[in-house]
Amino acid sequence: MAVLPSLATVADLATLLGRTFTPEQEAQAQALLDQASAVVRSYIRQDISRDTTTDTFTLRRVDPLLHRCAGAVTLPQRPVVDIDSVLVDGTATYDWWQEDNELLLRSWTWDLPPAAHRAPQITVTYTHGWDPVPGDIQAIVMQAANRVLVNPSGIRSEAVGGESVTYLIPTTGEYLGVLLSRTEKKVLDRYRRTAGSVRLRGR
């Protein structure tokens, strides 16, 4: 499986903060952006970045009159930019079309022996994701990384030389670190995958 890039760059973060990082700070910022990107991807269950994937799915039955096709596959990564190839049980087919993230096949040999009781396996190579990354996703990744840069110890307040110092931690007292707040999750919910096809194996 290919290693996906961070959803924001160190340069993006430096511009947001209006500062210049030392080499050591750049390395720390990159590590935190990598972690924040992984957290966001895990939450919404999407690669997000533009990428090409080959996956195999079990074709599902649909109502041929309602859907005008014999079967369908829901491609889990969104948005679907292009479908490069489709194989039915290892044989290439061009008898399909795309509707959003649905791959619809006009016909197949499900009811013919020897595969009368086995759903066809559909291998799809497709390009998906955003280029560039949506601004709200990028902003959340930088916010999550910056929380640790600002306050790596997770301290809300402390007395320093007789003065009280307050850190940028939510009023609930919850230390988020490279995690997501409830507000950030609400923003990300519009991108979140809630259901999909049965995937057998990935790239």
Side-chain angles (χ1 to χ4, degrees), residues 6-76:
S6 295
L7 297 171
T9 67
V10 173
D12 293 331
L13 183 58
T15 299
L16 175 70
L17 300 178
R19 59 182 289 191
T20 300
F21 291 128
T22 65
E24 292 78 11
Q25 290 170 334
E26 285 186 359
Q28 181 190 21
Q30 185 62 67
L32 291 171
L33 289 170
D34 289 343
Q35 291 177 30
S37 298
V39 168
V40 168
R41 286 185 169 115
S42 177
Y43 179 73
I44 68 175
R45 297 193 281 273
Q46 296 288 319
D47 288 351
I48 303 171
S49 304
R50 182 69 54 84
D51 199 12
T52 299
T53 296
T54 298
D55 273 336
T56 298
F57 308 90
T58 296
L59 189 67
R60 72 175 189 274
R61 290 182 183 270
V62 296
D63 184 333
L65 297 178
L66 180 62
H67 297 277
R68 309 183 314 282
C69 67
V73 163
T74 301
L75 300 174

Side-chain angles (χ1 to χ4, degrees), residues 90-179:
T91 300
T93 181
Y94 303 94
D95 196 17
W96 56 267
W97 71 95
Q98 174 194 348
E99 293 182 3
D100 193 20
N101 65 320
E102 291 286 307
L103 172 69
L104 308 171
L105 280 83
R106 196 176 308 278
S107 62
W108 78 88
T109 58
W110 191 331
D111 296 325
L112 299 178
H117 302 293
R118 183 178 68 84
Q121 306 306 297
I122 311 301
T123 300
V124 185
T125 298
Y126 66 111
T127 301
H128 52 81
W130 287 270
D131 184 17
V133 172
D136 49 357
I137 292 179
Q138 189 180 66
I140 287 171
V141 168
M142 290 191 288
Q143 287 169 189
N146 188 47
R147 276 196 289 268
V148 180
L149 284 175
V150 170
N151 182 19
S153 300
I155 301 173
R156 177 169 172 75
S157 63
E158 65 178 357
V160 179
E163 297 183 358
S164 177
V165 179
T166 302
Y167 294 89
L168 300 177
I169 299 300
T171 55
T172 58
E174 175 189 12
Y175 176 55
L176 297 173
V178 188
L179 294 175

